[in-house]
Amino acid sequence: MTNTYIKDYTNTFMIHGHEYEVTAPARFDSETNELIDDTKLDDQAVEIANQMYRDDKGLVSPEEIKKYRAKIGLSQREFAKLLGWSPNTVALYETGAFPSKSNNKILKALMNDDHFLNTLIVDDDTLPEVVVQKVKDYLNTASDEVIMAVAPKPKFTAIQLTNWYRVTNYFQAQEDLNVEELTQMKVVKLLYFAFGRYAVRTHGKLFTSRILAMPYGPVVEEVHKKFNGQRGIVANGLDDTAFDDFSEIQANSEISGLLSEILDDYGEKTAAGLSRITHQAGSPWSLTGQGVINPTLIAETFARNVEE
């Protein structure tokens, strides 16, 4: 096209009864100065008009759909299975077709809330296992969007918090001989509940230790490693460090108040009883299956006032 040139051209497009004026590069004949066809430039102008319509109507764009689908690791066919749509519908949306009003709502909800994604795999037992597993993998490895980088740095380690519960149990047993010795299984559940409530209140982590999904429920990795093989963790193991940790945490009203609150709410339950709570369908533990439980899942669950 040696006898042509390109300059901005303003054109009006009609999309579903709405007019959109677009100024974009177009090709002209050098001799006649008339507008001539250029598939690439013409398509770009049309897409600008389409995007103006999407912005006007709040529609999800093809790029947003493709980016989100890639983010959760699903093929077009798998994404269609997840949503109960035909693969052709997903393909059309990703190549420029406008989503229907109802489907657009679903896509926006999905992109804005991992909990909605959770519900899709929990509520549909007909989904292929490969789709369920890929979604679980995404949820397990997703960045901590709820646990913000600007959140306060944890004041204590998981071991220090455990020592607070251990010493508290020791003092309770001194006053009441019927108080049962605190076990490793029970303390990790108490820490899990405390972690969730703290995340909701501060958007931060109560401690940095990872929380793992193990057969008997959520487990705080540091605590599990330190007390592995032990059932009771009070009678034969309290040392000066444990009492020092207890005193330091007692001096922090925010953290000691939280730990006391959890103890008031769950202290009467057995470790097995607490496991039944954390094992409920749709809980972060059940969604993870095995491996590290995403702190975001925990925070979102507790934010819904569901302590699972």
Side-chain angles (χ1 to χ4, degrees), residues 9 49 66 105 118 127 166 188 227 239 277 284 287 301:
Y9 176 74
K66 286 186 282 189
K105 286 183 177 180
N118 295 346
L127 284 174
R166 295 172 70 211
V188 293
F227 298 102
D239 54 16
I277 296 174
L287 290 172
T301 299

Side-chain angles (χ1 to χ4, degrees), residues 90-104:
V90 175
L92 286 172
Y93 289 166
E94 290 192 358
T95 53
F98 300 126
S100 66
K101 186 175 181 179
S102 59
N103 285 355
N104 189 65

Side-chain angles (χ1 to χ4, degrees), residues 157-163 166 183-192 207-233 291:
T157 67
I159 297 300
Q160 288 178 298
L161 299 172
T162 297
N163 282 338
R166 295 172 70 211
T183 64
Q184 178 196 167
M185 184 180 291
K186 183 168 182 175
V187 79
V188 293
K189 301 300 184 296
L190 296 177
L191 290 175
Y192 170 78
F207 48 81
T208 58
S209 177
R210 301 188 304 176
I211 298 178
L212 309 178
M214 298 186 72
Y216 43 90
V219 170
V220 180
E221 187 175 34
E222 284 182 7
V223 179
H224 177 66
K225 287 182 177 180
K226 181 174 178 61
F227 298 102
N228 190 27
Q230 300 181 44
R231 186 178 184 279
I233 59 172

